[in-house]
Amino acid sequence: MTEEKLLKDIDQLLLAHKKFFASGATMDMAFRVKALKKLKRAVIDNADRIAEVLSADLQKPLFESYTAEAGYIVKEINFAIKNLPRWAKRKKTRSILFTLPSRNYIVNEPYGLALIIGPWNYPFQLTFAPLVGAIAAGNCCLVKPSEIAEQSSALIASIINDTFEHDYIAAVEGDVKVARALLERKFDKIFFTGSPAVGKIVMEKAAQNLTDITLELGGKNPCIVDSNVDPSLSAKRVIFGKFFNAGQTCISPDYVLVHKALKEKLYHEMQRWLGHFYGTDPKTSPDYSRIISLKHFRRLENYLADGAIIAGGVYDETELYLAPTILEVNDLGKPVMQEEIFGPILPVIEYASLDQVEEIVAQNPNPLACYIFSNNRSNVERLTTRIPFGSGCINDTIIYKYNHHLPFGGRGGSGMGKYHGKYSFDAFSHQKAIMARMFRLDPSIIYPPYKKALQFFKKLLLR
Ligand code: NAD
């Protein structure tokens, strides 16, 4: 398709979405539930196909496809269907003395036309989970999956375009050019998941129309391991969280800060669990992914020189295979400690005091996630209150993302806005506040001339 034709198609789709939204069809709760059920049916019917394309794009293990992609989305849909009537209900709130008599309430209003732009690492979860929020809240929506996970992008587009009327929800495939063209157009809500660098472009473009945005970005997620924990169970949970999808997870532990008293034991246990999870040759394991592209592979390969290899370090460029690698790092100025790794390399740095931990984490502030392994409550309290981060977990790693009762999102460089469960509904709704006044009482004290009322209000308000 020529660029000109594509841009024309996008404009036509947006016009159709505008018209559809204006018809008021999405305001009906039964309509939204029906759309969510259709999406659920489509995801379940395509679950095997989803696993196939994820295997082609990333050699994603079947377990990870069913749990972190298709299964994850169905869980979000079920929760939304069950709770939508409660979420969408107008909420009464109280009056204050000054505004009596009045009824006060909040109406959740859909933004209107939403745009979702997704990344390649969990291509289905990270486009469909926000789509659940967009549908539940009553928006029309255009979805652009990442072109980097090529087969996944094609399947996402065909699932969406075969399931919904195009004037309500549609998908457009394409690369940066298409993403840029979309961002030139006016939406009422943009939900972007991807890198901080592109996040800045999205924010800049959204600013031109003052469009509401949610930015789900990345960062360097610290994993702090105190001296007083069980080294085996801690190592097991760190290794699981780090090498799930070969470390290509936004909330993957980026680096480990381990108390010097536990370092050697932790190394030993991490190596033991690596062997247990992926065997002596992880390349032959059905449970270990590949790197998405040659560009990312080469970027990761360069990090191997930034420290001493404790485990792994083996690779095969022709297969985009990089073994799960543990790297002892002493120089914090090395690129591996300056950039988000987003791959199967785990730098380990020893520390002696929590002051040192805070100093190291502050070099890459506002991580998306933070993990703290400790049995010392005051250490946990200190680190959770003093380190700013998006969300996190005590004594475990990525598992917390599955709990849709917790809001998910970053702060500063790791993003803004939250979603999952009810928070996805909120992300795509404007909370419209309404006060309904009565005619029966109208104290003249608030109207000009103010002279008499001034002293009274000064006393009342400046207390
Ligand atoms: P990316 O920013 O390169 O791409 C994301 C999307 O933006 C793609 O659809 C792409 O086509 C589009 N895009 C790329 N360049 C663009 C440009 N110049 N203008 C407009 N659009 C553009 O990110 P990625 O490589 O797909 O994903 C990796 C990053 O995403 C990591 O930083 C990771 O931490 C982050 N991430 C965050 C989350 C989260 O939930 N917070 C989840 C997954 C990934």
Side-chain angles (χ1 to χ4, degrees):
M1 192 188 294
T2 64
E3 200 178 323
E4 202 183 332
K5 163 96 175 70
L6 183 82
L7 296 183
K8 214 170 139 201
D9 284 357
I10 290 174
D11 287 333
Q12 271 172 0
L13 270 175
L14 286 179
L15 264 180
H17 281 196
K18 216 170 176 174
K19 213 167 139 197
F20 191 84
F21 185 73
S23 77
T26 69
M27 301 307 280
D28 177 23
M29 291 306 135
F31 174 88
R32 298 184 197 176
V33 170
K34 201 171 154 199
L36 288 169
K37 285 185 176 165
K38 274 168 90 173
L39 182 61
K40 175 178 166 179
R41 187 73 267 146
V43 172
I44 292 175
D45 289 349
N46 281 283
D48 295 343
R49 186 78 193 108
I50 288 174
E52 270 168 40
V53 296
L54 286 167
S55 175
D57 284 335
L58 282 149
Q59 207 173 301
K60 199 175 270 225
L62 285 180
F63 177 86
E64 296 183 13
S65 286
Y66 286 100
T67 58
E69 303 261 18
Y72 186 97
I73 300 159
V74 172
K75 173 187 79 70
E76 283 283 327
I77 296 175
N78 286 338
F79 189 65
I81 291 174
K82 189 168 162 217
N83 291 289
L84 184 56
R86 196 163 51 84
W87 296 344
K89 212 168 143 187
R90 60 168 65 172
K91 287 185 185 49
K92 275 196 208 153
T93 182
R94 292 164 58 177
S95 174
I96 60 165
L97 185 67
F98 187 50
T99 58
L100 280 172
S102 65
R103 278 187 302 110
N104 296 265
Y105 55 95
I106 301 160
V107 176
N108 286 295
E109 182 178 68
Y111 279 112
L113 272 57
L115 169 67
I116 293 172
I117 298 182
W120 51 262
N121 59 335
Y122 293 84
F124 293 87
Q125 182 200 134
L126 298 173
T127 45
F128 285 19
L131 181 59
V132 173
I135 294 173
N139 297 270
C140 287
C141 193
L142 204 59
V143 178
K144 197 213 75 75
S146 167
E147 71 285 9
I148 310 287
E150 213 178 318
Q151 295 209 26
S152 300
S153 171
L155 184 57
I156 290 167
S158 82
I159 292 176
I160 290 177
N161 292 332
D162 292 349
T163 303
F164 298 106
E165 297 300 326
H166 292 196
D167 50 359
Y168 169 39
I169 292 169
V172 189
E173 282 194 88
D175 59 6
V176 180
K177 259 196 216 154
V178 174
R180 281 208 184 121
L182 287 168
L183 291 172
E184 290 298 334
R185 278 140 182 90
K186 183 167 172 5
F187 289 88
D188 303 306
K189 169 80 197 187
I190 299 176
F191 189 106
F192 171 79
T193 306
S195 60
V198 180
K200 286 181 192 171
I201 298 173
V202 173
M203 194 165 175
E204 219 175 292
K205 292 289 173 194
Q208 278 157 29
N209 290 311
L210 293 176
T211 299
D212 190 275
I213 47 171
T214 298
L215 298 178
E216 296 287 339
L217 312 177
K220 274 188 97 57
N221 308 318
C223 178
I224 301 149
V225 185
D226 205 348
S227 58
N228 50 39
V229 292
D230 172 352
S232 177
L233 191 50
S234 304
K236 186 183 186 183
R237 291 176 176 179
V238 172
I239 293 298
F240 169 74
K242 175 69 190 186
F243 298 106
F244 199 91
N245 202 26
Q248 300 166 113
T249 304
C250 57
I251 53 163
S252 167
D254 188 280
Y255 61 95
V256 166
L257 296 174
V258 58
H259 192 280
K260 63 179 183 181
L262 199 79
K263 188 177 82 176
E264 291 307 324
K265 276 193 201 140
L266 193 74
Y267 277 156
H268 176 77
E269 291 300 327
M270 288 203 291
Q271 283 168 296
R272 203 168 66 76
W273 283 112
L274 276 178
H276 192 75
F277 289 169
Y278 307 112
T280 46
D281 182 10
K283 196 175 174 187
T284 59
S285 166
D287 298 324
Y288 188 65
S289 297
R290 294 297 180 263
I291 305 305
I292 185 71
S293 67
L294 191 58
K295 184 177 145 207
H296 280 286
F297 179 87
R298 295 210 167 128
R299 178 181 65 77
L300 291 164
E301 195 190 331
N302 286 332
Y303 291 144
L304 295 175
D306 290 352
I309 289 168
I310 304 293
V314 186
Y315 52 87
D316 177 352
E317 188 177 286
T318 57
E319 280 201 28
L320 298 178
Y321 165 76
L322 177 52
T325 297
I326 298 170
L327 201 66
E328 178 160 286
V329 175
N330 296 315
D331 180 353
L332 297 174
K334 294 282 187 193
V336 79
M337 280 308 294
Q338 300 283 315
E339 299 153 9
E340 179 185 13
I341 297 170
F342 216 59
I345 299 174
L346 183 61
V348 178
I349 296 130
E350 69 167 46
Y351 73 84
S353 70
L354 292 190
D355 285 344
Q356 215 184 336
V357 167
E358 286 173 21
E359 257 171 51
I360 296 172
V361 174
Q363 290 183 13
N364 294 285
N366 296 318
L368 182 61
C370 179
Y371 304 111
I372 300 160
F373 286 78
S374 180
N375 281 317
N376 179 322
R377 283 173 78 169
S378 77
N379 285 357
V380 171
E381 191 54 29
R382 171 176 166 170
L383 293 171
T384 48
T385 46
R386 285 175 51 159
I387 298 177
F389 56 86
S391 50
C393 196
I394 317 293
N395 297 331
D396 209 330
T397 56
I398 59 172
I399 192 98
Y400 81 95
K401 192 176 194 273
Y402 286 83
N403 182 3
H404 46 232
H405 299 292
L406 286 170
F408 179 80
R411 51 170 293 161
S414 58
M416 59 189 68
K418 307 276 169 275
Y419 79 127
H420 289 180
K422 158 90 161 64
Y423 302 98
S424 299
F425 175 85
D426 293 343
F428 285 91
S429 302
H430 165 64
Q431 297 206 311
K432 191 191 245 176
I434 299 176
M435 176 184 286
R437 295 268 280 152
M438 320 312 168
F439 287 112
R440 55 191 149 86
L441 268 179
D442 192 37
S444 59
I445 193 161
I446 61 161
Y447 297 110
Y450 295 128
K451 206 172 157 207
K452 268 196 262 160
L454 179 64
Q455 287 314 319
F456 172 75
F457 276 103
K458 267 173 87 175
K459 272 200 183 137
L460 180 75
L461 297 173
L462 305 182
R463 285 189 288 173

